[in-house]
Amino acid sequence: MSASMPTKCQKLRLDETYEGKQGFSYFQGIARETTGSQGICMHILRIPPGGRAKAHLHESHETAIYVMEGNAVMFWGEQLEHFMSTDPGDLVYIPAGVPHLPINTGDVEAVAVIARTDPHEQESVRLLPELEDLVPA
C-alpha cells in the first residue's frame, strides 16, 4: 500500500449533513475528507417533494445512483434535452461531463445512494446556470 492510502477499515453513521453546490443537503458519507478514500465517495441524498437541483455536471467523474424510495425525474444532455424518470429499485449511471438536473416531482421524499469516482465529492461539480431555464419550474 502507498503511504497516502488508508490502512484501516472504517464505519460511519449518517448523522451529519453538508450543503452541496447542486442545491441539496447530503448526508456526509464516505469521502476523502471523512475516511481518506482515494478514488470513490458514497453518500445518501434525500430530496423533498418539489426539490430541484441546479443544472450541473461532474467534470471528470462518473456517478452511480441507486433509488431507494420515492420517484424523481432527471433532465440530461448538452441542453438538458433528454428525460428520465426513476422509481425505487432503479440504478442510474451518469457519465463524466454529462449535464443533468434532477427533480423530485412526487409528493413523498426521494431517497438515493450516490457513489462517484471523485473521492472529494464536490470538487468536480461545475454549475451550469445557463441551462436552468431550459427546464420548466
Side-chain angles (χ1 to χ4, degrees):
M1 270 193 218
S2 75
S4 63
M5 290 293 291
T7 59
K8 64 179 182 172
C9 295
Q10 300 173 57
K11 177 175 76 173
L12 303 173
R13 280 286 201 195
L14 299 175
D15 57 359
E16 292 186 36
T17 61
Y18 67 92
E19 298 302 313
K21 295 177 189 175
Q22 304 93 313
F24 290 139
S25 291
Y26 294 83
F27 283 91
Q28 191 168 22
I30 296 168
R32 185 164 295 165
E33 294 78 9
T34 57
T35 64
S37 66
Q38 298 297 298
I40 192 168
C41 73
M42 186 172 71
H43 302 276
I44 300 292
L45 172 63
R46 295 179 175 275
I47 306 173
R52 173 185 168 128
K54 297 174 182 176
H56 67 282
L57 59 77
H58 302 269
E59 291 181 321
S60 55
H61 298 284
E62 299 169 292
T63 301
I65 301 169
Y66 175 68
V67 180
M68 295 174 21
E69 299 174 20
N71 308 90
V73 300
M74 183 176 73
F75 292 85
W76 63 278
E78 291 303 313
Q79 296 295 307
L80 301 176
E81 69 273 19
H82 302 289
F83 176 84
M84 175 188 302
S85 60
T86 63
D87 299 305
D90 288 343
L91 291 164
V92 177
Y93 169 72
I94 303 172
V98 173
H100 55 285
L101 187 159
I103 304 170
N104 180 349
T105 56
D107 55 5
V108 298
E109 181 177 63
V111 181
V113 175
I114 299 178
R116 290 199 186 87
T117 56
D118 176 1
H120 290 292
E121 209 289 324
Q122 291 287 298
E123 272 193 9
S124 73
V125 174
R126 183 165 49 107
L127 297 179
L128 303 167
E130 67 276 13
L131 300 182
E132 289 290 324
D133 292 338
L134 297 177
V135 175

